[in-house]
Amino acid sequence: TSLSEPAVIGQGAARLRIAVSDAETDAEVAANRQLAGSDDVGANWLAANGYDEAEFRASVGEALLTARVRDAVTAAQQGEMPVVHARHLVVRTEAAAHALVQRLNAGEDFAALAQEASIDESSGRQGGDLGWFAEGELLFPEVARTAFALGPGMVAGPIRSGLGYHLIQTIEKSTRTLEGADLAAVVQAQFERWLAEQFASATIERYL
């Protein structure tokens, strides 16, 4: 049988020594009952959503645990965090990417090559400029990780993604405080990466 997300989060929570007590779950269930306004309204909601009392209590506990784990694994995203200004170009084949690496090594300009060859038209028109981003904000996580690993002016690639083969050049690095939607996007991406790692780890453990 496949692993469920609550089970994987539960395993990760145990490793992080994070737990939700019965009392905390009971308090949250009581708060939900109070929001419903009456026992009849609450019972009707449970029936309409396919829950019985025990299932609803379990789902409340899972939600509390998920929120607590999310806060723990994304705590480093609060406040000032590293950002990078980079540009990339992406082509469909690895051979095409290597040909462009040779042109870069011969002294051609990265931005000019991005305008000429990149299949990412939106950034290609800007010489491949991706602007400033935190690691969790970029659509291509493998490209973002490389951009953060490079020093200013350095180029790396080809890096494969679902779009094609990327060359990436880091322009400059800094830090900034993320707020609002930007922070929410980075926190969500960080939690999803953590969850994917937990699924991978749990799957490996099942077959050892």
Side-chain angles (χ1 to χ4, degrees):
T1 58
S2 60
L3 295 160
S4 69
E5 183 172 306
V8 171
I9 290 174
Q11 291 174 9
R15 283 192 285 269
L16 294 168
R17 299 188 178 184
I18 294 171
V20 172
S21 69
D22 289 342
E24 289 170 320
T25 301
D26 290 341
E28 187 67 15
V29 169
N32 277 273
R33 289 185 187 282
Q34 189 171 10
L35 286 173
S38 73
D39 289 343
D40 287 343
V41 172
N44 289 338
W45 184 91
L46 290 177
N49 288 276
Y51 286 112
D52 62 26
E53 292 283 349
E55 290 168 340
F56 179 65
R57 187 180 185 283
S59 74
V60 168
E62 289 169 0
L64 286 172
L65 187 63
T66 297
R68 196 160 291 177
V69 169
R70 182 193 301 268
D71 288 346
V73 301
T74 62
Q77 306 298 341
Q78 311 302 318
E80 281 206 344
M81 63 186 311
V83 289
V84 66
H85 181 198
R87 53 190 169 207
H88 82 148
L89 62 83
V90 56
V91 290
R92 298 192 189 282
T93 68
E94 189 172 9
H98 282 298
L100 290 171
V101 169
Q102 291 180 352
R103 292 175 64 180
L104 286 169
N105 289 339
E108 292 195 48
D109 180 67
F110 192 105
L113 286 179
Q115 288 180 323
E116 173 192 328
S118 183
I119 62 173
D120 182 3
E121 295 182 3
S122 60
S123 69
R125 288 192 295 269
Q126 308 300 321
D129 197 341
L130 295 167
W132 287 94
F133 55 89
E135 188 170 343
E137 290 181 289
L138 199 63
L139 182 61
F140 312 108
E142 49 281 87
V143 176
R145 284 193 294 271
T146 303
F148 276 88
L150 295 174
M154 296 177 64
V155 176
I159 305 154
R160 188 176 182 180
S161 79
L163 183 60
Y165 293 85
H166 302 249
L167 303 181
I168 183 85
Q169 182 182 48
T170 294
I171 301 171
E172 52 188 328
K173 292 180 171 181
S174 186
T175 59
R176 84 167 188 254
T177 301
L178 295 184
E179 297 177 336
D182 287 341
L183 177 59
V186 170
V187 165
Q188 181 63 22
Q190 175 71 17
F191 182 66
E192 288 175 359
R193 284 198 298 274
W194 176 87
L195 189 56
E197 290 167 0
Q198 302 312 300
F199 267 106
S201 174
T203 300
I204 290 169
E205 288 173 2
R206 290 180 68 211
Y207 290 99
L208 287 178

